[in-house]
Amino acid sequence: MLSRSRPFAFRKQRPPATHARRLSPRHSSTQPHEDASIPAQNMRLTALLSSGDTADARRLFDDMRRRTVVTWNAMVAGHARRGSTLDALEVATRMHRSGVSPNEATYASVLGACARGRHLRFGAQVHCQVVKSGSESLEVVGASLLDFYSSCFDLRASRTLFGSLHPRNELLWSPMVVALVRFNLPSDALDLLEQMPVPRDVFAWTAVIAGYARGAVDCCRKAIWLFALMMADDGVMPNEFTFDSVLRACMKMGALDFGRSVHSCLIRTGFESEKLITSALVDLYCRSDAVGDALQVYNDLEMPSLIASNTLIAGLIAMRRTEDAKIVFSQMPEHDSGSYNLMIKVYGIEGRIEHCQRMFEKMPRRNIVTLNSMMSVLLQNGKLEEGLKLFEQIKDERNTITWNSMISGYIQNDHSSEALKLFVVMCRLSIACSPSTFPALLQACATVGTIEQGKMVHAHLCKTPFESNGYVGTALVDMYMKCGCVGDARSAFCWITSLNVASWTSLINGLAQNGQWLEAIVEFGRMLKQDVNPNEITFLGLLMASARACLVNKGMRFFHSMESYGLVPTVEHYTCVVDLLGRTGRIREAKKFISEMPVPADGVVWGALLTACWYSMDLEMGEKVTEKLLCVGTKHVSAYVAMSNIYAKLGKWDDVVNVRTRLRNLDVKKEPGCSWIELKDIVHVFLVQDRNHPKRDDIYLMLEDLVSNISLLSEPDEPELLLPLS
């Protein structure tokens, strides 16, 4: 407890009294004149400490024959400002032993140093000395104590201190609100803010707004509401940190209109040129696709800061406006490592590896971020060996992003098994994982179809706080759905705390792909009740579910409702509608739908209609669609196979030969059928007529035995079962 802490002690021997006389002549410039006043010496001492010249400040201090409490406080504060907690404690101890009693400024400085260094034990000792001296009730000292305990993340001590001192110390309300936000307790901070005596200061308001702005969308909505309440009810003038927080909340919510209102408000209050604010504004407008507004904010700056320039470049890159990003970079008077990293990313997006390498070599200083950026560019552009060489050079840094990038690189280059092996090494070396580690691994498991490996990754995920993360949880749902484990996917979905459109879409599309079509449509209804709007991919899953369930009217309603959500149907959506109509035999209606499409129909759309013609045995329409496909010049093998089958059914053998000749001239091959099974953590992959498996002879013997038994048990009037074995 606080009362049991030992008082802080003097940790170094005090210099001898004759130390000042032993100084060499070169230090004589700092020796005080006999007639120099103590205030002048104190001012000189403070100036030296403020400029960072601690050596000269220490010599001046040691040479002073008389030291007042101001002198001692200047030394304590100087050490505290530069984070030298032990030096600050040593000077305070010497001050106490010299007979000069510490005052509230002394305690505030020492406690500030302990707070910055998070030295809980030393700070508790200082607290004991404060209690002994009777200074605990002083307003500044009480506020410093509260800030110290909250900085050291001691919630119990913070609450106890506030409860005992706040009736006689009004300065403690605001630090306690800040402390609760620091402990990630924004609702408790808001309750305390409401109890706080009026007028409530801007620091308390800003802390609560910032606390909610760091949360999910619902929390951001509350941050915006609190900002409006602060402006309307209390009339408190926001500062630059208030504006920054509310702009970040607008950014997360996509609340562009409210963000513009905040922008006009900060112009009226004169904060539009603050570095923190301009970067937040540029970020908001870029993320809201309002690039014109972002450029206007940036161009209105007389001297754009580095952070504003880098934020604009990052926003332009996100919108794929790489040429504009290059122009901004070329006009910048100075660049830092962040600027170069962004340009490496630009050239990486364009696939210009040589430009990336030139930019990499041009950098005056390279850090781990730069090396990670260069490695990611190489891996994303298929340079696996070069990326691996760079990884080998920097892997001993044990940087999480480095290892995540290499895992993702393996997956992007179709080496999923190597990615899983690297994750095992990562765990063995106790390298910290991040939320970005798991989606890539889960994608690898889904690609290979290794459900046991996927469960192993999930088990590791359960040991982290990331399982409820929306990004990670969505990847987990997707992995289980692709492996056919619908129940596990539903369980993973229930763990996600902040469900977004990606999470719901993954569930809906997964159910549609696993034959649970009606359940997919039901989940869409639940999604709408949660006030989550669908996106284009959501509707692809809904249209697929409707087609498989033969719910034509429902599917068409889904298609026509896209406009009400501000979505424009793409060719993929039109293809799904053609498939929906074709599966229910509405061939003529599907043909009419294609002719009325606002976008040109490609080979995929006509191929969907051709497949429908084949299933419906509408050979007349099939022949017309075939002619359309030949004009379009599709390269989809399945379309040519369907064409050939239709011509064969019609007895047009010359046309069959023509289609087959076209198919051979395309120099494309139909992907062979593939299946796999996982036994004892090993995935066995089989292709059509595959004889590469080491136990192929045993497998084919078993298959022949099965075929012979099936033939014996079949009824006489059943057609003969033919299974090609070679």
Side-chain angles (χ1 to χ4, degrees):
M1 296 298 293
L2 302 179
S3 59
R4 295 181 183 176
S5 301
R6 294 177 300 168
F8 63 89
F10 183 23
R11 300 198 165 267
K12 295 183 181 179
Q13 292 296 323
R14 183 178 178 181
T18 57
H19 175 68
R21 297 188 182 92
R22 296 178 185 172
L23 291 174
S24 60
R26 59 185 178 151
H27 297 144
S28 59
S29 61
T30 60
Q31 292 180 0
H33 298 288
E34 292 293 331
D35 57 347
S37 64
I38 291 176
Q41 294 175 39
N42 289 341
M43 290 177 63
R44 171 68 175 155
L45 182 66
T46 303
L48 289 171
L49 290 166
S50 299
S51 64
D53 195 349
T54 53
D56 281 353
R58 184 59 182 257
R59 284 192 288 271
L60 176 59
F61 177 78
D62 289 341
D63 287 346
M64 292 176 68
R65 295 182 180 180
R66 284 191 57 210
R67 304 184 184 114
T68 64
V69 67
V70 176
T71 311
W72 288 100
N73 285 348
M75 283 300 293
V76 173
H79 288 307
R81 275 196 300 270
R82 63 187 184 91
S84 301
T85 308
L86 296 180
D87 289 336
L89 286 169
E90 178 197 342
V91 175
T93 305
R94 288 177 59 191
M95 174 184 180
H96 183 66
R97 291 184 175 179
S98 68
V100 180
S101 298
N103 62 9
E104 57 184 319
T106 316
Y107 290 126
S109 296
V110 176
L111 288 167
C114 293
R116 278 189 287 273
R118 293 180 183 170
H119 295 295
L120 181 60
R121 185 167 65 88
F122 293 141
Q125 292 172 2
V126 176
H127 189 181
C128 290
Q129 203 66 27
V130 167
V131 174
K132 280 185 178 182
S133 66
S135 304
E136 195 176 30
S137 59
L138 295 173
E139 289 186 338
V140 174
V141 176
S144 298
L145 280 168
L146 186 54
D147 179 66
F148 157 69
Y149 281 116
S150 67
S151 297
C152 294
F153 299 104
D154 192 334
L155 177 60
R156 185 178 178 183
S158 300
R159 287 188 186 275
T160 302
L161 188 74
F162 177 77
S164 63
L165 296 182
H166 85 269
R168 57 184 187 274
N169 189 346
E170 291 187 356
L171 290 184
L172 293 185
W173 286 91
S174 187
M176 190 62 207
V177 171
V178 174
L180 291 171
V181 172
R182 190 175 281 161
F183 288 115
N184 199 24
L185 297 169
S187 58
D188 290 1
L190 179 57
D191 291 340
L192 189 63
L193 179 69
E194 291 171 347
Q195 300 170 29
M196 190 173 172
V198 178
R200 291 167 281 198
D201 61 47
V202 67
F203 304 107
W205 277 106
T206 300
V208 178
I209 292 170
Y212 278 106
R214 287 196 292 266
V217 173
D218 289 341
C219 294
C220 291
R221 190 176 290 114
K222 199 154 194 175
I224 291 173
W225 172 76
L226 283 168
F227 177 78
L229 192 66
M230 180 187 80
M231 299 291 288
D233 288 359
D234 280 38
V236 178
M237 288 297 295
N239 59 24
E240 62 267 34
F241 301 105
T242 321
F243 282 120
D244 179 70
S245 298
V246 74
L247 286 171
R248 303 291 175 190
C250 293
M251 193 187 312
K252 284 187 181 179
M253 286 186 60
L256 178 60
D257 291 337
F258 193 86
R260 286 196 170 109
S261 300
V262 175
H263 187 180
S264 62
C265 183
L266 65 89
I267 289 173
R268 289 196 301 271
T269 52
F271 285 110
E272 72 274 15
S273 298
E274 291 288 336
K275 291 182 180 179
L276 192 67
I277 300 297
T278 52
S279 63
L281 277 172
V282 168
D283 205 8
L284 167 68
Y285 287 133
C286 284
R287 290 178 187 241
S288 304
D289 290 332
V291 67
D293 293 323
L295 289 170
Q296 184 175 348
V297 170
Y298 184 79
N299 292 331
D300 286 344
L301 299 173
E302 291 184 10
M303 290 291 292
S305 64
L306 262 174
I307 186 170
S309 300
N310 289 345
T311 302
L312 179 59
I313 292 173
L316 292 169
I317 293 171
M319 290 184 282
R320 288 296 192 264
R321 298 182 59 157
T322 54
E323 292 302 322
D324 291 334
K326 292 177 196 174
I327 292 171
V328 174
F329 179 82
S330 65
Q331 293 175 348
M332 290 170 62
E334 58 176 336
H335 305 102
D336 62 359
S337 58
S339 313
Y340 284 106
N341 293 340
L342 288 167
M343 292 312 296
I344 288 173
K345 186 176 181 180
V346 166
Y347 289 121
I349 291 171
E350 296 176 348
R352 300 164 70 178
I353 306 300
E354 293 180 359
H355 287 75
C356 291
Q357 291 172 332
R358 278 203 293 270
M359 191 64 66
F360 181 72
E361 293 165 0
K362 186 179 177 181
M363 292 182 66
R365 289 181 303 277
R366 297 172 194 161
N367 52 25
I368 190 67
V369 177
T370 309
L371 296 166
N372 286 339
S373 299
M374 191 65 214
M375 186 179 76
S376 297
V377 165
L378 292 170
L379 294 170
Q380 289 166 7
N381 285 274
K383 305 285 185 179
L384 181 60
E385 291 186 6
E386 294 178 35
L388 187 56
K389 286 179 183 177
L390 194 53
F391 172 73
E392 292 294 332
Q393 295 174 22
I394 59 177
K395 66 178 183 181
D396 292 337
E397 296 285 334
R398 304 171 71 86
N399 180 269
T400 301
I401 297 175
T402 305
W403 286 74
N404 286 352
S405 299
M406 195 63 234
I407 288 172
S408 299
Y410 273 131
I411 295 166
Q412 290 162 0
N413 289 276
D414 299 324
H415 288 75
S416 298
S417 57
E418 294 299 322
L420 293 167
K421 290 177 185 175
L422 188 61
F423 174 67
V424 173
V425 176
M426 186 178 178
C427 294
R428 192 179 299 134
L429 295 175
S430 300
I431 295 170
C433 295
S434 71
S436 300
T437 309
F438 295 97
L441 289 166
L442 293 168
Q443 181 190 344
C445 297
T447 302
V448 182
T450 53
I451 186 60
E452 293 303 321
Q453 294 283 0
K455 288 180 177 179
M456 180 270 290
V457 174
H458 189 182
H460 278 281
L461 177 59
C462 291
K463 300 175 185 177
T464 71
F466 310 135
E467 188 179 12
S468 60
N469 177 281
Y471 179 52
V472 177
T474 301
L476 192 60
V477 172
D478 185 63
M479 185 274 294
Y480 277 126
M481 283 295 187
K482 286 179 177 174
C483 292
C485 302
V486 178
D488 291 326
R490 281 187 173 277
S491 299
F493 179 81
C494 293
W495 273 100
I496 303 173
T497 52
S498 299
L499 293 168
N500 55 22
V501 63
S503 310
W504 284 102
T505 298
S506 182
L507 177 67
I508 291 167
N509 288 16
L511 290 169
Q513 290 164 359
N514 281 277
Q516 299 191 17
W517 310 309
L518 296 179
E519 287 85 346
I521 295 171
V522 169
E523 292 300 335
F524 177 67
R526 286 183 57 208
M527 170 183 168
L528 295 180
K529 287 180 181 178
Q530 296 293 324
D531 293 326
V532 178
N533 287 333
N535 60 17
E536 292 89 345
I537 303 173
T538 316
F539 279 102
L540 287 176
L542 291 170
L543 290 170
M544 180 172 62
S546 302
R548 301 295 190 277
C550 296
L551 300 172
V552 179
N553 294 333
K554 175 78 73 175
M556 294 307 294
R557 280 199 297 272
F558 283 139
F559 177 77
H560 292 301
S561 69
M562 289 182 67
E563 291 183 6
S564 62
Y565 294 102
L567 303 174
V568 179
T570 63
V571 175
E572 288 81 6
H573 296 97
Y574 288 108
T575 304
C576 287
V577 172
V578 172
D579 182 54
L580 169 69
L581 296 170
R583 282 176 181 270
T584 52
R586 303 187 184 188
I587 306 299
R588 297 308 190 267
E589 193 175 337
K591 173 71 168 56
K592 182 182 177 184
F593 178 81
I594 294 174
S595 64
E596 294 174 351
M597 281 171 50
V599 294
D602 62 3
V604 180
V605 176
W606 288 112
L609 182 58
L610 181 62
T611 303
C613 293
W614 171 244
Y615 287 142
S616 302
M617 293 308 294
D618 190 338
L619 303 180
E620 181 184 351
M621 178 64 75
E623 187 174 13
K624 293 178 181 178
V625 175
T626 298
E627 292 173 359
K628 284 280 188 183
L629 266 170
L630 292 174
C631 293
V632 172
T634 180
K635 291 188 177 182
H636 289 272
V637 177
S638 57
Y640 283 95
V641 173
M643 287 184 218
S644 176
N645 292 337
I646 287 175
Y647 281 132
K649 194 75 176 178
L650 293 170
K652 296 185 176 183
W653 300 109
D654 291 339
D655 292 324
V656 171
V657 173
N658 183 33
V659 170
R660 293 287 179 178
T661 303
R662 277 175 171 258
L663 183 59
R664 281 193 295 270
N665 292 337
L666 288 175
D667 194 26
V668 293
K669 294 182 180 179
K670 185 178 184 295
E671 288 291 331
C674 175
S675 62
W676 60 82
I677 186 171
E678 183 178 359
L679 293 173
K680 297 180 180 180
D681 297 334
I682 299 175
V683 179
H684 302 267
V685 181
F686 300 95
L687 300 175
V688 173
Q689 299 182 356
D690 187 3
R691 289 188 174 273
N692 294 321
H693 196 276
K695 293 192 175 183
R696 58 187 177 277
D697 295 335
D698 295 336
I699 294 171
Y700 275 95
L701 280 173
M702 177 59 70
L703 182 60
E704 289 175 2
D705 186 48
L706 284 170
V707 171
S708 62
N709 283 318
I710 292 170
S711 299
L712 289 171
L713 293 172
S714 62
E715 295 295 331
D717 57 346
E718 287 181 351
E720 186 179 359
L721 180 64
L722 296 175
L723 290 177
L725 300 180
S726 59

